[in-house]
Amino acid sequence: MSALFEPITLRSLTVPNRLWMAPMCQYSAAPDGPAEGAPGDWHFQHLAARAAGGTGLILAEATAVSPEGRISPYDLGLWNDTQTEAFRRITDFLKAQGTVPGIQIAHAGRKGSTERPWVNRGAPVLPGQRHGWEPVAPSPVPFDDGFTTPAELSVAQIRELVAQFGASARRALAAGFQVVEIHGAHGYLINEFLSPFTNRRTDEYGGSYENRTRFALEVVDAVRAVWPDELPVFFRISATDWLTEDESDAREGWTADDTVRFARDLREHGIDLLDTSSGGNAPDAKIATGPGYQVPFAERVKKESGLAVGAVGLITEARQAEKIIADGQADAVLLGRELLRSPSFAQHAARELGAEVTLPQQYHRAV
């Protein structure tokens, strides 16, 4: 029996296998007009192909809770009825293939208002330029050279953002999603609040660990309040900013110890799985990459907090993914680039591991 192709049940939802698709921005939504931020044909084929390929759970890309919450003007959003309705075509198809549809809801914070990655290397789009806006953050600290200094959020604005996350989660449910993931990683808004590297506030949302985690936990509570008890909520985190791992770097950042502590808090607030990534908050951090380089963070969280975890990071081979699950390092693996290269990776992995995976009838001749 293959551990990778064993079902997993979270709350009342059973996912058919442990091989899942991580959220990957496509930067392919309309930037304005009646279909602004809504998924189209590109998003349908992108997600549908991986479902037909046997992926157990698919998380749609970082989807903004407000227009200003996008990374680029070409990002998906979930702040109006047109967007909600457009997602139903996708969720209906994924369910028909036996795949669980999930969505990541997000706010880009100080990393917002940029070009698509393949246009001028994702350079900032400045306020006043076409499709540009003023980004916001916990503190007025720009992401990198050339980026706009973000406006510091007021307490009233923070509370409005919490409400926007709750509203987007409600729309995600109406759109047919069965999992919602809160994006708290990669230097985007929630991560910016968590880390002392980017959070320089002196009010109730800054300073101490308890204050820096307040916004994230308020978002979790707002989402959990509108999400059915029988369905799971995930949280994606950067387990470390990769600052304190470098002894030559004196900057203070979010650490793996913080992540373990926070995982316990998230569990108390109703989070069912921690999608464990790293980095993205300090553009010049030194990150030691390699096959499965982020798996140890997930393993530690699982062992020390008791929270279910997903592992990510250069997982590219079936037997590598199988070992992660079989050895108890994680409860699921989330693939990114490998699923871009091979939409039917799950089918190939099942064949290699001697397991079974649900295939569309149209593809049975390939078995």
Side-chain angles (χ1 to χ4, degrees):
M1 295 292 293
S2 165
L4 186 63
F5 287 93
E6 280 290 305
I8 180 173
T9 299
L10 298 165
R11 296 197 179 231
S12 298
L13 179 69
T14 298
V15 185
N17 61 53
R18 316 295 183 98
L19 202 160
W20 302 350
M21 179 172 163
M24 289 178 282
C25 289
Q26 298 298 291
Y27 305 101
S28 298
D32 48 29
E36 179 183 10
D41 288 347
W42 178 265
H43 304 92
F44 178 85
Q45 70 79 28
H46 169 64
L47 301 173
R50 279 80 192 166
T55 309
L57 183 150
I58 288 176
L59 286 167
E61 67 188 73
T63 301
V65 301
S66 70
E68 299 77 22
R70 292 174 290 182
I71 304 167
S72 84
Y74 301 91
D75 286 12
L76 292 179
L78 201 47
W79 65 78
N80 65 40
D81 291 343
T82 299
Q83 296 158 349
T84 305
E85 185 61 33
F87 272 115
R88 288 198 183 103
R89 176 189 177 207
I90 293 172
T91 58
D92 286 348
F93 186 87
L94 266 56
K95 290 175 184 175
Q97 310 315 307
T99 295
V100 172
I103 189 169
Q104 184 185 75
I105 54 175
H107 193 293
R110 69 178 187 151
K111 294 176 78 173
S113 192
T114 70
E115 266 292 1
R116 291 165 289 183
W118 56 85
V119 177
N120 201 17
R121 297 185 176 182
V125 180
L126 302 179
Q129 294 181 335
R130 187 168 184 261
H131 295 142
W133 62 88
E134 182 181 40
V136 296
S139 302
V141 181
F143 174 65
D144 205 354
D145 294 340
F147 277 72
T148 302
T149 298
E152 181 170 306
L153 288 160
S154 68
V155 171
Q157 288 173 315
I158 290 171
R159 290 172 180 162
E160 175 60 25
L161 283 164
V162 171
Q164 288 173 349
F165 272 93
S168 284
R170 187 181 293 110
R171 290 187 182 281
L173 184 66
F177 288 101
Q178 294 173 293
V179 171
V180 63
E181 177 174 273
I182 299 164
H183 197 353
H186 301 157
Y188 299 118
L189 185 65
I190 292 177
N191 191 185
E192 293 164 18
F193 270 92
L194 294 175
S195 176
F197 178 67
T198 41
N199 187 341
R200 316 286 174 83
R201 301 176 73 94
T202 58
D203 62 4
E204 65 265 41
Y205 288 96
S208 68
Y209 165 88
E210 289 79 10
N211 285 355
R212 287 183 285 107
T213 59
R214 188 183 308 278
F215 174 58
L217 293 177
E218 288 178 349
V219 168
V220 170
D221 290 345
V223 170
R224 192 74 263 184
V226 300
W227 200 250
D229 287 342
E230 65 270 19
L231 294 178
V233 176
F234 296 175
F235 191 99
R236 188 164 224 200
I237 197 164
S238 282
T240 175
D241 287 338
W242 289 98
L243 295 178
T244 54
E245 281 74 11
D246 180 2
E247 293 181 358
S248 67
D249 196 329
R251 294 175 294 179
E252 184 182 6
W254 183 261
T255 69
D257 289 343
D258 293 326
T259 294
V260 171
R261 180 180 179 182
F262 190 49
R264 298 186 185 114
D265 294 338
L266 290 171
R267 186 179 183 184
E268 291 297 317
H269 284 256
I271 290 296
D272 300 287
L273 181 139
L274 193 67
D275 181 357
T276 312
S277 186
S278 70
N281 201 28
D284 59 346
K286 297 177 182 177
I287 302 177
T289 63
Y293 72 102
Q294 297 178 121
V295 174
F297 297 124
E299 181 179 20
R300 183 181 171 193
V301 169
K302 180 176 172 63
K303 289 181 177 178
E304 297 185 28
S305 75
L307 187 62
V309 297
V312 305
L314 295 181
I315 300 170
T316 60
E317 299 178 358
R319 295 196 183 279
Q320 176 194 17
E322 172 75 12
K323 190 174 190 303
I324 291 167
I325 304 301
D327 289 353
Q329 294 177 285
D331 298 279
V333 295
L334 291 96
L335 274 59
R337 291 176 177 86
E338 191 59 31
L339 275 172
L340 295 183
R341 291 185 284 263
S342 179
S344 296
F345 181 89
Q347 294 180 22
H348 302 308
R351 182 181 300 139
E352 181 176 342
L353 298 171
E356 293 185 2
V357 66
T358 301
L359 293 179
Q361 292 291 334
Q362 298 91 327
Y363 290 177
H364 273 204
R365 72 189 71 181
V367 176

